[in-house]
Amino acid sequence: MILVNIFIPLIDKEYEFKLNEDVPVYWIIEEVSALICQKEQFTLPSNTQKFMLYKIECSQTLSVSLSLYENDIKNGDRLILV
């Protein structure tokens, strides 16, 4: 498990998540977006496959088929969900 911050520009908020670095990024995007929609009380778009995660420090788009570990995401990294 790693601790990362994820910024959501759409609602201008940042959240801290403890994530399993061994699961594919597409699964993380689905789970994170569902949690944020539930917390902020708005409806999740039907197609979360259009969302992407970026690593802020190096402007790197994460490959959705790879895990966080394989995308070189480490404890304390900041990500953006768009």
Side-chain angles (χ1 to χ4, degrees):
M1 295 294 242
I2 59 172
L3 195 62
V4 297
N5 288 333
I6 300 179
F7 176 66
I8 316 297
L10 182 64
I11 57 174
D12 195 32
K13 292 191 177 183
E14 188 167 326
Y15 301 90
E16 186 175 87
F17 284 95
K18 190 174 188 179
L19 302 172
N20 183 341
E21 67 270 21
D22 297 321
V23 298
V25 169
Y26 73 83
W27 187 85
I28 290 171
I29 290 172
E30 287 180 18
E31 292 298 312
V32 164
S33 56
L35 285 170
I36 291 170
C37 286
Q38 182 180 18
K39 178 177 174 29
E40 300 298 331
Q41 299 179 345
F42 61 88
T43 306
L44 180 66
S46 59
N47 190 0
T48 58
Q49 294 173 350
K50 292 184 179 181
F51 290 145
M52 302 171 93
L53 271 176
Y54 293 93
K55 184 175 179 180
I56 293 175
E57 289 79 17
C58 62
S59 301
Q60 168 191 353
T61 303
L62 304 187
S63 172
V64 293
S65 61
L66 299 177
S67 68
L68 291 176
Y69 175 78
E70 293 167 320
N71 276 292
D72 197 32
I73 302 301
K74 296 178 179 61
N75 208 28
D77 279 346
R78 293 185 65 222
L79 307 174
I80 297 178
L81 179 66
V82 292

